[in-house]
Amino acid sequence: MKVSLFAELSSDNFIAGINGNLDGFKEAHKVLPEGETCGFKDFVASVDAVVMGRKTFDVVSKMKSWWYGDTPVYVLSRDPNRVKISPHLKGNVSTLCGTPKEVLAILEANGKRNIYLDGGAEVIEEFMNEDLVDEATVTILPVAFGDGLSFLTRDHWKRLKEVGSKTYDFGFVQKSFTVQNASRTA
């Protein structure tokens, strides 16, 4: 099983501003050429499942576009009754409750081998703390929040080994990492 992160970050390493504000990212996206996803569309097509926390689901489920296509999405929540799934997503979205290891065991038992861990920050931290993330792709946007939701702790950043980098003409920089000291093999 392989667990991957794919995230956009501000230049000061936040996945969102204070209170989850994404306005800076929305502004930065205005420079994207039409159809450009910085590899995200192909990445999502390569995974068997998307895992995210309830707070992240609450944000992405209200956006204009559903980024995940037909890929099954699993929303983690200690209280699945708090997850509000709109009718048009019911066939694609399910809830799960459990520790990161329990969640991965459930997914693996259901034939899911390539997992996209979409966040949020708390969920990523839990999976990183249990040494369950194998790789990360980070796209750095030319915007600074000054404060907000951190992508990774300093200790988690230290475990990343850069294996690739790409600079886009419109100012985005994408870096690929493997996670060192993984207790599992892909």
Side-chain angles (χ1 to χ4, degrees):
M1 176 174 275
K2 180 171 69 172
V3 177
S4 305
L5 305 175
F6 198 109
E8 289 184 332
L9 295 183
S10 64
S11 59
D12 50 356
N13 292 319
F14 295 107
I15 58 173
I18 295 172
N19 298 321
N21 186 313
L22 298 173
D23 290 346
F25 289 152
K26 292 174 188 173
E27 190 65 29
H29 285 161
K30 291 179 180 178
V31 302
L32 288 174
E34 188 170 334
E36 178 63 67
T37 65
C38 299
F40 184 74
K41 186 176 179 183
D42 292 336
F43 170 75
V44 170
S46 75
V47 300
D48 302 318
V50 178
V51 173
M52 68 180 68
R54 183 195 49 82
K55 293 178 205 170
T56 298
F57 177 73
D58 288 347
V59 172
V60 301
S61 66
K62 293 174 185 156
M63 293 184 167
K64 259 197 280 187
S65 299
W66 180 248
W67 304 336
Y68 312 103
D70 293 330
T71 305
V73 173
Y74 297 88
V75 180
L76 306 182
S77 179
R78 289 175 187 86
D79 180 3
N81 293 323
R82 291 186 66 194
V83 180
K84 304 298 180 210
I85 303 170
S86 61
H88 75 283
L89 296 177
K90 284 210 185 264
N92 255 27
V93 178
S94 306
T95 59
L96 285 176
C97 183
T99 67
K101 286 181 183 175
E102 291 168 343
V103 167
L104 292 182
I106 291 166
L107 294 175
E108 191 166 36
N110 285 289
K112 309 302 183 198
R113 304 280 307 143
N114 294 305
I115 310 302
Y116 166 31
L117 184 62
D118 191 19
E122 293 173 30
V123 172
I124 291 170
E125 184 171 358
E126 288 177 21
F127 277 72
M128 288 291 291
N129 284 344
E130 292 196 31
D131 209 17
L132 298 173
V133 178
D134 300 293
E135 62 185 23
T137 301
V138 175
T139 306
I140 303 161
L141 280 60
V143 61
F145 288 120
D147 196 4
L149 301 174
S150 295
F151 175 57
L152 296 174
T153 66
R154 284 193 172 113
D155 286 341
H156 291 153
W157 273 110
K158 290 176 188 176
R159 293 177 45 208
L160 300 185
K161 178 184 176 192
E162 188 174 333
V163 294
S165 182
K166 177 178 182 174
T167 301
Y168 291 92
D169 292 340
F170 42 86
F172 291 19
V173 176
Q174 189 169 75
K175 296 181 179 232
S176 302
F177 302 91
T178 58
V179 180
Q180 300 299 293
N181 305 316
S183 61
R184 312 176 288 110
T185 56

